Every structure is written in C-alpha cells, then in structure tokens.
Amino acid sequence: MSLTGSDSLLSITYYGHSTFALESKGTVVLLNPGIWDGKPLVPDDFSARVVIATNHADDAIGNAAKISVNSKAWFLGSKGAADKASEQGVKPWLLHALEHEVPYQIPDVRITPYPLSRIDEARRWWEQESRHESSK
C-alpha cells in the first residue's frame, strides 16, 4: 500500500461559534456541536467517532448527546457536560469526563485537554517578554 501526503492530513471543518469537525484517516471528532440562536449548528444525524463538549452550556453541548447516541460515538467532556449527556441518554460505557492535562485514549484517538488558563499564562509571559525586549 502506498500512502500519499493527503493520507496523513487533518481536515478541519468549521460549523460556526465554537463548533468544529476534525477528520483524519476516516476518524471524525466533533467539538462543541452547540445550539446557536435556537438552532443546532450540526444535524442530529451527523456521524462521528468522538463527540466532545467543553462545557454544559447550550452553545457547547447543544445536541452533542443526540449525535453521540445516534452515531454510537464516544462522548468526552467536562464534568458538567458529561453529567448532562448522561441525563440525555449517552450510554455510560461511551461517556467520559475529561480532566485538565490528563490524556484520554480510545482506539485511533488520544485527547489531552488543557484549561484556557494556560493560554492566559502564555499571553502574560509573552507580554512580559515583549516589555522586557522593548526596554532594552
């Protein structure tokens, strides 16, 4: 079997707000299939291997539980999102609450969630370095 460069690419599809589908080698990870302005950003029959909701608010979790149930996908998310997905029918063996900086792996997918505070830390470091450089 010969592989071309496109066989190892990551395809990213943006659906709006904070909703993305990431696809590589036939594996689809759906991130934050939220409801925005009262409408789901992704249809209930969307097929995914993994559905991730970063929090339990409608703009993040939206119809994630329906998509997970319909496609028998793993559901990963914050504790609040996982609790809400469980209430909405996601099977316990496909449900996992993610913890910051703790890797979680299922076949073909490895997820390591990082808190947004890491972004803030990096921004503060960058600003401090920039000020230091400009004062020279």
Side-chain angles (χ1 to χ4, degrees):
M1 173 204 259
S2 73
L3 298 175
T4 64
S6 63
D7 293 325
S8 61
L9 294 178
L10 174 66
S11 171
I12 302 172
T13 305
Y14 176 64
Y15 289 94
H17 193 57
S18 64
T19 304
F20 294 86
L22 312 172
E23 182 175 2
S24 180
K25 299 178 184 175
T27 300
V28 177
V29 175
L30 182 61
L31 178 63
N32 288 336
I35 294 177
W36 197 248
D37 291 332
K39 298 177 189 160
L41 295 171
V42 178
D44 293 348
D45 63 354
F46 188 91
S47 181
R49 174 101 165 96
V50 178
V51 178
I52 300 173
T54 57
N55 65 72
H56 65 283
D58 281 344
D59 66 340
I61 195 168
N63 58 343
K66 286 182 187 175
I67 293 168
S68 180
V69 168
N70 290 344
S71 56
K72 296 178 177 75
W74 293 89
F75 182 96
L76 310 176
S78 66
K79 172 80 168 97
D83 289 346
K84 193 169 185 177
S86 176
E87 292 167 7
Q88 295 176 358
V90 175
K91 302 296 183 200
W93 55 87
L94 292 175
L95 186 64
H96 184 77
L98 296 172
E99 298 176 43
H100 292 164
E101 301 186 37
V102 176
Y104 184 75
Q105 188 161 348
I106 58 173
D108 302 323
V109 178
R110 179 184 168 117
I111 304 290
T112 305
Y114 289 95
L116 290 177
S117 62
R118 296 259 316 239
I119 294 170
D120 293 337
E121 290 169 17
R123 184 179 298 124
R124 282 191 296 274
W125 176 85
W126 179 258
E127 289 169 352
Q128 182 180 18
E129 287 298 308
S130 297
R131 282 192 299 270
H132 178 72
E133 287 297 315
S134 65
S135 66
K136 287 183 175 181

